Amino acid sequence: MGRKGTMTDQTIDSEYLNETLTVKIYKPETFSPLYKYNICIMQDGDDYMQLGRVATLSDRFHGDQTIENTIFVGIHYNDKYDRREKYHPEGKKFTSYMKFLAMEVVPLLDVELPTYHMGGSRALMGDSLGGTMALMTALRYPHTFGKVIMQSPYVDETVLQEAEDHDALATMEIYHTIGTQETEVSTTDGKVQDFLTPNRELRDILEKNCHSYTYYELDGEHTWKYWQKDLKRALPTMFGSENP
């Protein structure tokens, strides 16, 4: 079955990362410059398109008006080591990648697309370390990004501290899931870590401080099988037509 929307590519010669990155933009079938659009920027962009089937979900949810006008934007990594450098709180490119998102990707999208130019209409989405990156960037640039979707994010002391310290949560909408079987997750650096416990600690902080917070524990592991299913709920929750 073919996609109904249109995929276009833009490239950015990033000053912050010192490399050229491709930004993939998926517009709904009914796209028109006369309407305004929410933007969902996905880390692990190719994975969200291929394994998460975001284009198919976008087609379906726009078709039956489950979600409001939303454009999905994917940015991918070069390899798993590059991904860690960019998305991990201790990665060498972590801060540069945040700047790239806030100061290079968003301005490009605001020029190319009919966006609302408001944080509340821009979401960052990611799985695992990509979810960590989404949350940390939104905390750092709360006026640019008002929504976060994080699926099984990697959570350490840095992340917990950052969430605890930021007033930005008071205005943010966050969708957060973790699998109950995510107690032994193999990470890129060859370690095995418990993701569930720190995610529950993060939940306690977010429940207390976040303006609008949705949290689910999935009966599953740290894999796309569960994230893909969960997207069927995540996207309507964050971009749903009923959203206030």
Side-chain angles (χ1 to χ4, degrees), residues 37-52:
Y37 290 81
N38 295 307
I39 299 287
C40 181
I41 299 173
M42 311 177 289
Q43 318 324 306
D44 296 332
D46 293 357
D47 296 340
Y48 268 100
M49 287 298 182
Q50 287 152 20
L51 306 169

Side-chain angles (χ1 to χ4, degrees), residues 26 34 40 58 71 86 123 131 156 162 166 179 227 230 232 239:
Y26 190 70
L34 303 175
C40 181
S58 171
I71 291 171
K86 287 172 178 164
D156 59 12
E162 207 60 19
H166 271 278
W227 299 330
D230 178 52
K232 294 172 189 168
F239 304 109

Side-chain angles (χ1 to χ4, degrees), residues 140-153:
R140 191 122 349 143
Y141 298 99
H143 300 299
T144 309
F145 305 105
K147 295 178 194 266
V148 172
I149 298 173
M150 48 183 179
Q151 300 180 289
S152 308

